[in-house]
């Protein structure tokens, strides 16, 4: 009897291998050492030791961002000069005993344009800590204020806004305004040819598979889950940057604005599919422009403890269960991928959780991972056979790796169901949500 069948009989049983890029930088759990550094910087600031407070805070940032955080201290004055790398952008500035200043050059332009000015003024309304301005032929996002008015915590919020907004906007305005000149592309780290070709191929393939599946679904809410699951899968496994990332995000924002609007769900799905169709029609060259690595300091997803994550997954398991109840077992895998994808997109999580969820993806997408260079294939798609021994060995490796980090950590693979892809996907998430990790 399959794992899913048991339910209805009253029983319920950041970079990957070789530097492959998966997902985006998400907030890690704060260690005791990091917490002490952050609180020390606040205490120094409260005691009027402003520059000392910022030195400690930059030590904190360097622990998080590594080579993406560059700091110089003037031995004569104690003033700080810094540079932060966030995607394709550089945030630079200085901190003296009088003031704090930071800016990012978003792009340059060959000629002034009233449409561009109106666009930037409109964007200023969305900002809290910084503002767009023009400096000669450069569009900058910046802020300057007295140091006594800006604690390290407020400084971090300001820097985060400047870094994330400028990094997300440059390719978009380059596409909107023909006279825009891009800057800072020297920060981009190219992918290998193998990774670029494989990700381009499977971005197209997964969209094509989703379009085909959608044609057979009548329920609009189910359609939404399938579409969103495909988007989250692409955002994590393909991990686009630049204009392509911006286009996917716009689709998600459009959905979020209408998520509770039952009356317009069909229209909303139509719009999402229309935008995804445009993406699928992009040339290989256009797609490859958005496939690269970057250094990053500020996370774009908040940390979620494992207990919170496990509870969330437990509640969402009703989605694949309902598919079986409605005789739509072929939708179980897309629903499980939606559950995994939305958690990886929206949240940071313990490394053990990320490794287990990457294993989930590897089992269900063997050809994609083989194309990237993962030679230890875990599922034979031609014969529809799980390589059970390899999967169990991978899980045991993860258990051994993290059993000393998390007390009592042990993923129970004995209850995994290898009867079908659908049964494996559901049973894996069922056991995952039972796993206990104390952050």
């Amino acid at each position: 009897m399959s794992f899913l069948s048991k339910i209805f009989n009253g029983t319920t049983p950041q970079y990957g291998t070789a530097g492959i890029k998966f997902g985006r930088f998400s907030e890690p759990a704060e260690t005791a050492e990091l917490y002490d550094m952050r609180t020390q910087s606040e205490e120094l600031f409260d005691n009027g030791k402003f520059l000392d407070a910022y030195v400690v805070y930059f030590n904190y940032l360097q622990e998080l961002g590594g080579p993406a955080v560059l700091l110089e201290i003037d031995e004569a004055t104690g003033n700080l000069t810094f540079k932060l790398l966030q995607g394709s952008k550089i945030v630079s500035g200085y901190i003296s005993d009088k003031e704090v200043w930071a800016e990012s050059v978003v792009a340059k332009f060959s000629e002034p344009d009233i449409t561009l000015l109106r666009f930037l003024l409109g964007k200023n309304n969305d900002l809290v800590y910084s503002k767009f301005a023009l400096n000669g032929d450069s569009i900058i996002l910046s802020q300057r204020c007295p140091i006594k008015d800006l604690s390290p915590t407020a400084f971090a919020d300001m820097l985060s806004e400047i870094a994330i907004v400028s990094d997300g906007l440059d390719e978009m305005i380059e596409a909107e305004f023909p006279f825009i000149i891009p800057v800072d592309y020297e920060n981009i780290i190219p992918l290998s040819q193998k990774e670029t070709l494989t990700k381009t191929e499977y971005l197209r393939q997964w969209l094509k598979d989703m379009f085909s599946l959608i044609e057979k679904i009548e329920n609009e809410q189910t359609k939404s889950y399938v579409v969103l699951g495909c988007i989250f899968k692409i955002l994590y496994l393909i991990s686009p940057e630049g204009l392509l990332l911006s286009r996917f995000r716009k689709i998600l924002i459009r959905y979020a604005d209408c998520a509770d609007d039952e009356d317009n769900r069909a229209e909303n799905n139509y719009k999402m599919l229309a935008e995804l169709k445009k993406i699928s029609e992009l040339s290989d060259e256009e797609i490859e422009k958005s496939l690269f690595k970057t250094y990053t300091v500020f996370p774009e997803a908040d940390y979620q403890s494992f207990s919170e994550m496990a509870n969330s997954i437990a509640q969402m398991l009703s989605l694949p269960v309902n598919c079986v109840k409605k005789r739509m077992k072929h939708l179980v895998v897309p629903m499980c991928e939606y559950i995994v994808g939305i958690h990886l997109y929206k949240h940071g999580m313990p490394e053990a959780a990320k490794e287990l969820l990457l294993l989930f993806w590897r089992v269900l997408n063997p050809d994609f991972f083989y194309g990237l260079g993962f030679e230890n294939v875990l599922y034979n798609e031609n014969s529809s056979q799980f390589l059970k021994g390899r999967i169990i060995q991978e899980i045991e490796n993860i258990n051994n790796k993290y059993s000393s980090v998390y007390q009592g950590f042990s993923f129970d693979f004995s209850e995994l169901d290898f009867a079908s892809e659908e049964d494996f996907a559901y049973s894996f998430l069922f056991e995952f949500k039972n796993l206990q990790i104390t952050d």
Side-chain angles (χ1 to χ4, degrees):
M1 182 182 298
S2 74
F3 191 95
L4 286 166
S5 299
K6 294 178 185 178
I7 296 173
F8 307 108
N9 288 282
T11 61
T12 55
Q14 228 43 290
Y15 294 118
T17 295
I20 301 297
K21 181 189 178 188
F22 298 123
R24 298 179 64 74
F25 181 46
S26 54
E27 185 177 13
E30 188 174 55
T31 64
E33 292 77 11
L34 287 172
Y35 174 81
D36 289 342
M37 293 170 70
R38 183 169 55 81
T39 54
Q40 182 188 6
S41 70
E42 290 294 330
E43 290 171 359
L44 287 168
F45 187 88
D46 291 340
N47 291 326
K49 298 179 180 180
F50 302 134
L51 281 175
D52 290 342
Y54 273 94
V55 170
V56 173
Y57 190 76
F58 266 95
N59 290 335
Y60 173 87
L61 281 182
Q62 286 176 320
E63 287 294 318
L64 291 177
V69 182
L70 310 174
L71 177 68
E72 292 183 3
I73 303 175
D74 187 313
E75 294 183 1
T77 64
N79 295 345
L80 314 179
T81 303
F82 65 86
K83 286 186 178 181
L84 306 177
L85 306 182
Q86 181 79 17
S88 64
K89 287 285 145 298
I90 297 174
V91 182
S92 58
Y94 69 83
I95 302 167
S96 70
D97 59 352
K98 301 295 183 185
E99 67 176 359
V100 175
W101 165 78
E103 77 167 23
S104 174
V105 179
V106 180
K108 294 188 176 184
F109 52 88
S110 58
E111 57 187 71
D113 181 84
I114 191 66
T115 306
L116 174 63
L117 296 179
R118 287 173 178 166
F119 173 83
L120 295 175
L121 285 173
K123 287 293 180 182
N124 273 343
N125 293 329
D126 301 328
L127 300 173
V128 177
Y129 301 99
S130 58
K131 296 297 178 185
F132 284 104
L134 301 183
N135 183 8
D137 62 351
S138 297
I139 301 167
I140 64 171
L141 184 58
S142 67
Q143 182 58 276
R144 185 190 304 266
C145 65
I147 191 171
K148 64 182 178 63
D149 296 334
L150 196 71
S151 70
T153 299
F155 170 77
D157 291 336
M158 179 189 78
L159 277 185
S160 178
E161 180 176 88
I162 293 175
I164 292 174
V165 171
S166 61
D167 180 43
L169 193 66
D170 54 351
E171 287 92 351
M172 188 180 77
I173 61 173
E174 182 184 346
E176 290 283 334
F177 303 99
F179 47 82
I180 290 295
I181 304 169
V183 297
D184 291 342
Y185 276 118
E186 65 269 20
N187 301 330
I188 290 173
I189 307 166
L191 306 184
S192 69
Q193 184 180 29
K194 175 187 286 190
E195 184 174 353
T196 300
L197 293 176
T198 299
K199 288 188 170 183
T200 301
E201 175 188 353
Y202 278 88
L203 184 147
R204 295 190 186 284
Q205 185 62 52
W206 291 337
L207 286 174
K208 180 181 178 182
D209 293 344
M210 183 271 293
F211 292 140
S212 178
L213 185 58
I214 284 293
E215 292 178 358
K216 305 170 187 176
I217 301 174
E218 296 183 0
N219 181 273
E220 293 297 335
Q221 188 170 33
T222 302
K223 283 185 181 180
S224 295
Y225 288 130
V226 172
V227 173
L228 291 171
C230 180
I231 293 174
F232 292 135
K233 181 177 182 176
I234 288 172
L235 288 177
Y236 188 75
L237 294 180
I238 306 298
S239 191
E241 298 279 352
L243 187 58
L244 194 54
L245 174 62
S246 177
R247 294 181 72 161
F248 278 114
R249 281 177 169 168
K250 285 175 70 174
I251 296 171
L252 292 177
I253 291 171
R254 177 174 290 165
Y255 175 78
D257 290 341
C258 306
D260 298 323
D261 189 354
E262 293 288 346
D263 294 335
N264 294 317
R265 191 181 294 277
E267 180 182 358
N268 188 52
N269 285 338
Y270 175 82
K271 290 179 179 178
M272 285 199 296
L273 288 166
E275 292 299 321
L276 290 171
K277 186 69 174 176
K278 293 178 185 177
I279 292 175
S280 72
E281 293 170 350
L282 293 173
S283 68
D284 286 355
E285 183 180 10
E286 289 174 300
I287 292 173
E288 290 169 7
K289 283 182 180 178
S290 294
L291 299 180
F292 52 84
K293 298 178 188 176
T294 60
Y295 288 113
T296 305
V297 178
F298 295 103
E300 299 181 30
D302 295 333
Y303 184 80
Q304 185 179 46
S305 70
F306 189 85
S307 60
E308 293 172 327
M309 182 183 173
N311 289 335
S312 175
I313 287 178
Q315 293 173 10
M316 296 179 74
L317 284 177
S318 60
L319 294 176
V321 169
N322 288 337
C323 288
V324 177
K325 288 180 178 179
K326 296 176 181 178
R327 301 181 183 277
M328 297 187 298
K329 190 176 179 180
H330 64 288
L331 295 180
V332 167
V333 171
M335 290 300 167
C336 289
E337 289 192 336
Y338 165 77
I339 294 170
V340 171
I342 194 171
H343 282 85
L344 286 168
Y345 176 74
K346 287 191 170 184
H347 301 290
M349 61 187 67
E351 288 299 316
K354 284 196 285 189
E355 288 197 28
L356 283 169
L357 294 184
L358 183 63
L359 178 63
F360 169 92
W361 289 121
R362 287 177 58 197
V363 174
L364 297 173
N365 300 273
D367 287 352
F368 168 72
F369 282 92
Y370 186 77
L372 291 177
F374 287 72
E375 296 182 356
N376 192 23
V377 176
L378 304 175
Y379 179 77
N380 187 323
E381 289 191 299
N382 293 327
S383 61
S384 300
Q385 288 186 331
F386 292 93
L387 300 178
K388 185 176 177 180
R390 293 184 182 180
I391 295 171
I392 291 174
Q393 183 60 58
E394 293 276 355
I395 294 173
E396 287 182 329
N397 290 342
I398 295 172
N399 283 343
N400 292 335
K401 181 177 180 180
Y402 291 103
S403 60
S404 60
V405 179
Y406 305 106
Q407 186 175 5
F409 178 92
S410 180
F411 185 95
D412 184 7
F413 52 79
S414 66
E415 292 293 342
L416 290 180
D417 191 331
F418 295 96
S420 67
E421 289 180 275
E422 292 82 7
D423 290 299
F424 173 83
Y426 181 85
S427 64
F428 190 95
L429 294 187
F430 190 92
E431 293 307 319
F432 182 92
K433 60 92 176 172
N434 287 335
L435 183 65
Q436 298 300 310
I437 296 180
T438 302
D439 293 80

